[in-house]
Structures are given as structure tokens and as C-alpha cells.
Amino acid sequence: MTQRSRCALVLLGGGARCAYQVGVVRGIAELLGEPAANPFPILVGTSAGAVIAASLACGAEDFAQATRQVEGFWANSESRKVYRTDSPATLRAVTQMVVALLSGGRLAQAPGALLDTRPLRGVLEGHMNFSRMRMAMAAGKVEALAVTATDLLSGDSVTFFETLLRTAEWRRAWRRGQESRLAIAHLMASTAMPLLFPGEWLGASIFGDGAVRQLAPLSPAVHLGADRIIAISVREQPPHVAPPPPRSLRSATPAQIFGLAMDTLFLDTLDSDLERLDRLNELAARPGYLPTPYRSIETLVLRPSVDIAELAAAHTGMLPQSTRTLLRLLGAGRGDGGRLASYLLFESAFTRTLIELGRRDAHASESAVRTALRGTD
């Protein structure tokens, strides 16, 4: 690798919430003005964040134009473009799941997923051009793209990366980096939300959402040579004190439990990884305390200024009837389904709200963003 400074963009998963990330990168492009070179030589994404990262990599020759295109893609999204929304298909999957559970698998096999994502594959095939990404790499406009998925057979978190740099693959406890020629299948694997979306076969293993086993979401950027990282979270600043539970609820509903599980998968790992990186930075700052390969990594985390779950609660009526029925079956019919719904609300009214929120938050953080991007021109 050359010795010049590298800033990585890390986009974590979050389903429809990731429209917020689109707004942030669009806001960053507006801050840089036009024309502007791609400020992120290293792009790392998980789940829906992987789709955004891949879009930016494919359009790396013109960063502003790439952000406009990805904004247009998300601003006009619909649930039916991501998963089948016809009620019979959803009802069959739910019925099959219930019969399998009640019969212990004797009368039916549990479906691999409750929602069919073939529409998403078709949309990505028409939108994503990895040949353009490879041309941009050859021209030095982008250096690496990394997409994380979970090997559902071995339990490993696998980061598939493509780069023209001499970058060694890596292996750590339950996670590894594997150099690959990236394709739509890697994005489908990374976005396969547990139980909701079906897994994707890559080689001899079936893969699911990258957030399932992603213990160190910042690690791929570090392995690929970044010394500065901008990470875009889709969760507001974690509260120091847990909010009190709603008084109207006698017990936790399946929707609440599932929503909390989704938060744990998609949102919690970033904060713990940041704490770990901060400790390593403190040790690296002490001369001679750590071996030479260790280096200090600067980080900037951009977060929503408001709770996205609360925004989603006001938009749940826009979900397809089949999805609303599924949420009600999970107990999300009493005004407490915003958290779970926020991952499935791919309707344009909601995604545009998040995009605008991301733009505003990026502009409000202009000084921090410019500091983090220094030296990347």
C-alpha cells in the first residue's frame, strides 16, 4: 500500500433505516461541492448499508452524481420493490411457520423466511454495475469495497472485499476477510435479515445478514488500510438511562422482543467496537507500548438527531396491508410497533423523511466532517 492517508466510510445495516445514511452522504457531497473527488477510498457496508456502499463504489468516478443517484433510488423506494407484498404469499409463509411450530415440524417444514426478496434482486440487477466500480478502481477513484455477510453454516462473520491493492486476507475469532469478485449475490447475502429475508448461497455455504455475527464492524476498514473512519449509525445517541416502559403494556409483545433483537443485531455492535477502538488508541498513543503495526485510528460517528423508531410509528399506516397484518400478528397493533416497522418501511414517504434528516445532520456536523475528511483530496 502507498503511505497516503485513507478515510473509510462504514455503513452499518438497518433495513429501511439506512435511508438516513443516504441523506448523510448526500449532505457530505453538498458540503464538498462540485466537482469533488470521491473522499472515501475505502467503502465498507453491511446489510442495506452494503447496497449503499456498493452504489457509491460503482459511481466513484463522480461522487456528487453517485450520491444523487443513490438518493433517487431510495427516495422512490417502495416495499414491493424489496419484498413481495401480496397478502397470499405472506399468509402462506406465516401459516407454514405456525403449523411447523405447533406440529414440531411433523406436518410442515418452517419456511426459510417470511418474505420473498426476489423483487430486490431484480432492482439491484438493474441498478448495480460492478464493471464501473472496477474501472473506477483502475483509475484510482476508489481503492476497496467490502461487504459483510454471515456464514450460517460455520457461524463466521465473513467480509468479502474487492481491491486492486495488495491486501492480505485476515482471520480472527468468528470473523474473517475473504478477497472476492463482488456480485449481486454478495449484496443479497448481506441483506438477508434473519427470519424475514431468505439466505443466499455463495459457494458451498448459505449466507445471511451480515449484522447477525458482526462483532467488530469497524475492523474491515482497519484491515483495508484506513487510518480515519466515518461511520454512519442509524441510531440516536444511546441514552445513559433506559426510558420507562409504556404503562399501557402488561407484558412485552413479540413485536417488541423482535424489535429489540433487531436493534441488538444492527445497532449495538458499533458502540462496543468504538469503545474497544478508543482503548486501543489510548494504548497506541503511549510510545513503545504496542508493537509497530498498531496505529491510532481517528473516528467520527454521525447519528440521527431524533429517534427513527418514533418517526416510523407515524408512517406505519403506509406499509402494505400484508406487512401490517404480519406486524399485528406479532403484537404490534397497539402503537408499539414503530421499532420493528422502521426496518421494513421502505415506503418513499418514510425514506424521504430519513434522507432529509440525514442531510440536515450532515450539514449540522460540517466542521467535524471537514476535519475527518482532511487530506483526502
Side-chain angles (χ1 to χ4, degrees), residues 73 119-129 184:
F73 178 78
L120 174 62
R121 185 186 298 274
V123 168
L124 292 179
E125 287 174 347
H127 173 75
M128 210 68 66
N129 187 341
I184 299 298

Side-chain angles (χ1 to χ4, degrees), residues 303-372:
R303 302 177 184 272
S305 54
V306 300
D307 187 347
I308 289 180
E310 293 182 0
L311 295 177
H315 290 82
T316 53
M318 299 176 182
L319 281 166
Q321 179 61 48
S322 59
T323 309
R324 295 202 304 272
T325 301
L326 176 60
L327 290 177
R328 281 198 298 270
L329 289 172
L330 293 173
R334 301 193 297 275
D336 58 346
R339 187 167 303 281
L340 178 55
S342 67
Y343 294 94
L344 298 174
L345 254 167
F346 290 95
E347 304 306 320
S348 59
F350 181 61
T351 57
R352 290 182 182 188
T353 298
L354 296 190
I355 289 171
E356 181 57 29
L357 175 64
R359 289 183 64 257
R360 292 201 309 265
D361 288 351
H363 282 271
S365 303
E366 178 177 359
S367 177
V369 168
R370 290 191 182 279
T371 298

Side-chain angles (χ1 to χ4, degrees), residues 161-227:
F161 67 92
E162 184 165 351
T163 180
L164 294 181
L165 300 175
R166 296 179 59 186
T167 302
E169 296 182 344
W170 64 88
R171 177 176 286 277
R172 301 291 185 269
W174 300 108
R175 54 188 174 91
R176 55 190 169 91
Q178 178 177 319
E179 189 165 9
S180 306
R181 187 175 177 85
L182 295 178
I184 299 298
H186 294 92
L187 300 182
M188 293 299 297
S190 185
T191 56
M193 286 192 283
L195 297 180
L196 295 176
F197 295 172
E200 181 82 9
W201 284 94
L202 295 172
S205 285
I206 186 169
F207 286 80
D209 200 293
V212 171
R213 202 63 185 275
Q214 191 172 41
L215 303 176
L218 302 178
S219 173
V222 177
H223 280 288
L224 290 169
D227 53 21

